[in-house]
Amino acid sequence: MSRPRKSRPPLERAQLADLALHYAGRYMTTAKKLEDYLRRKLRERGWGGEGEPPVAEIVAKCVDQRFVDDEAYASSKADALLRRGYGARRIAQALHHAGVSETIRDEQAPGEQDRRMAALALARRRRFGPFSRDALDQALREKQVAAMMRAGHAPQHARALVEARNEKEAEEWVADCYD
């Protein structure tokens, strides 16, 4: 038998600011995600202060003091997703979902070299195309191309890797963008 939870008192300005600092200190975040977090906490506990809760003011102060930096978040998130093998479209979606502005998303868009390296990383990790242990029939190749496209890769990149005859050819395809 569990005891009922004690209801917590409504939030006041100092507690809301403390929650913001704790969240920003613990997680790399964007201004939008911090605002959403504070609004969720207000829905859960209520507001005990006078007037409207100063969510926008607290978020702006965190941004001014550089506790929250959308550009740094976008750069870190984009790099992490590229290393995991995700494509440009999927990276843009993740940044959009996090509330990163379109300008910053455009700045963080990966170049051709990074896109090819990410596609190669995904093909290796998922054992697509020449990295497969088994012989591939056309139906399986199409499924692999579709999976790469769902991961955010352009159709021509997915097809180039899945259709590569061997690992060396796939690596040469990536190296071609350096020329």
Side-chain angles (χ1 to χ4, degrees), residues 5-130:
R5 289 185 82 173
K6 290 182 184 178
S7 64
R8 300 190 73 187
L11 293 169
E12 300 210 4
R13 182 185 182 89
Q15 293 168 316
L16 198 60
D18 286 346
L19 283 172
L21 287 176
H22 183 264
Y23 186 80
R26 184 170 177 141
Y27 305 105
M28 185 167 215
T29 188
T30 63
K32 172 80 169 91
K33 288 175 72 173
L34 178 60
E35 181 180 341
D36 291 347
Y37 170 75
L38 293 176
R39 293 206 184 279
R40 179 172 52 91
K41 288 298 179 185
L42 284 167
R43 278 192 311 274
E44 291 171 358
R45 295 192 39 197
W47 176 242
E50 293 184 23
E52 289 294 312
V55 173
E57 181 184 326
I58 291 171
V59 170
K61 190 173 183 179
C62 286
V63 169
D64 289 343
Q65 294 177 342
R66 310 253 325 144
F67 296 141
V68 174
D69 186 350
D70 286 4
E71 287 183 39
Y73 175 88
S75 176
S76 176
K77 185 73 168 177
D79 289 346
L81 290 172
L82 278 172
R83 282 191 309 274
R84 290 178 51 201
Y86 288 101
R89 187 173 40 86
R90 188 75 177 270
I91 292 168
Q93 287 173 344
L95 295 179
H96 174 75
H97 181 71
V100 175
S101 71
E102 188 174 351
T103 306
I104 296 173
R105 286 194 314 261
D106 290 343
E107 290 172 5
Q108 295 302 320
E112 181 67 17
Q113 174 186 351
D114 291 333
R115 291 176 185 188
R116 288 185 180 202
M117 291 292 290
L120 182 66
L122 181 69
R124 273 195 176 117
R125 193 182 73 195
R126 299 277 308 269
R127 294 198 164 110
F128 287 163

Side-chain angles (χ1 to χ4, degrees), residues 155-177:
Q156 65 271 20
H157 289 177
R159 203 158 293 290
L161 272 173
V162 170
E163 299 293 330
R165 290 186 299 264
N166 54 46
E167 292 179 29
K168 185 177 185 216
E169 186 177 310
E171 290 167 354
E172 287 173 356
W173 173 77
V174 173
D176 284 346
C177 71

